[in-house]
């Protein structure tokens, strides 16, 4: 999908709001597929279900893009299976002084939901890293 960016700055708040992000694209168009998907072979869409990440603005019904094959960094959102259930959580590793993994936690962003402490006994598979989340503000 290729769209032409607006030439006018968009004000998102009072006076002195930031200029339009469209101005960052000197071309006459934006290819959203190229912007959102760096590797089409390893990128997959997903639909968020639940409210465990609502305190960071990821809501039930939002869409996400999951990229496999890239390294998860601390605080990334990741897609993982835990005991045969699929989850999206915040990646929270702790490393020793020698950069060896000591503990791994997958955190929710809502106090109503539990975090997961990943241990040697946990059936765990890191499926991919969430690269984008987005929502439809106007249901058509």
């Amino acid at each position: 999908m290729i769209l032409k960016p607006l030439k006018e700055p968009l004000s998102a708040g009072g006076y002195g709001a930031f200029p339009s992000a469209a101005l960052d694209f000197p071309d006459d168009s934006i290819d959203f597929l190229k912007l959102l998907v760096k590797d089409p072979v390893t990128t997959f869409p997903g639909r968020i279900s639940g409210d465990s990440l609502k305190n960071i603005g990821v809501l039930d019904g939002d869409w996400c893009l999951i990229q496999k094959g890239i390294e998860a960094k601390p605080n990334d959102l990741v897609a993982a299976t835990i005991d045969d259930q699929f989850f999206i959580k915040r990646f929270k590793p702790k490393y020793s002084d020698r950069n060896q993994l000591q503990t791994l936690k997958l955190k929710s962003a809502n106090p109503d939901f539990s975090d997961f402490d990943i241990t040697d006994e946990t059936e765990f598979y890191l499926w991919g890293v969430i690269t984008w989340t987005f929502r439809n503000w106007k249901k058509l």
Side-chain angles (χ1 to χ4, degrees), residues 14-135:
Y15 297 103
F18 61 89
S20 168
L23 298 176
D24 292 340
F25 294 89
D27 299 331
D28 289 336
S29 62
I30 299 171
D31 183 339
F32 274 90
L33 192 56
K34 284 183 182 175
L35 177 68
L36 297 173
V37 178
K38 300 302 178 207
D39 183 358
V41 174
T42 62
T43 303
F44 302 88
R47 193 82 186 249
I48 306 294
S49 173
D51 290 323
S52 72
L53 297 172
K54 76 175 190 173
N55 290 0
I56 58 170
V58 179
L59 305 178
D60 184 55
D62 285 356
W63 286 92
C64 67
L65 292 179
I66 308 164
Q67 187 169 348
K68 297 183 78 167
I70 61 174
E71 181 182 351
K73 303 220 179 331
N75 292 317
D76 278 353
L77 289 180
V78 297
T81 57
I82 303 167
D83 297 326
D84 293 324
Q85 293 186 37
F86 205 74
F87 293 95
I88 295 179
K89 299 288 181 189
R90 184 136 347 243
F91 184 72
K92 293 287 204 172
K94 285 195 179 178
Y95 297 98
S96 69
D97 292 338
R98 294 183 174 172
N99 205 29
Q100 292 189 347
L101 183 65
Q102 287 182 316
T103 62
L104 176 58
K105 185 177 287 232
L106 296 185
K107 290 190 62 76
S108 296
N110 179 341
D112 295 336
F113 290 84
S114 299
D115 299 333
F116 291 99
D117 292 309
I118 306 301
T119 67
D120 290 338
E121 290 79 40
T122 308
E123 193 176 320
F124 166 75
Y125 178 71
L126 183 62
W127 201 80
V129 176
I130 308 305
T131 55
W132 290 91
T133 63
F134 42 96
R135 76 178 49 95

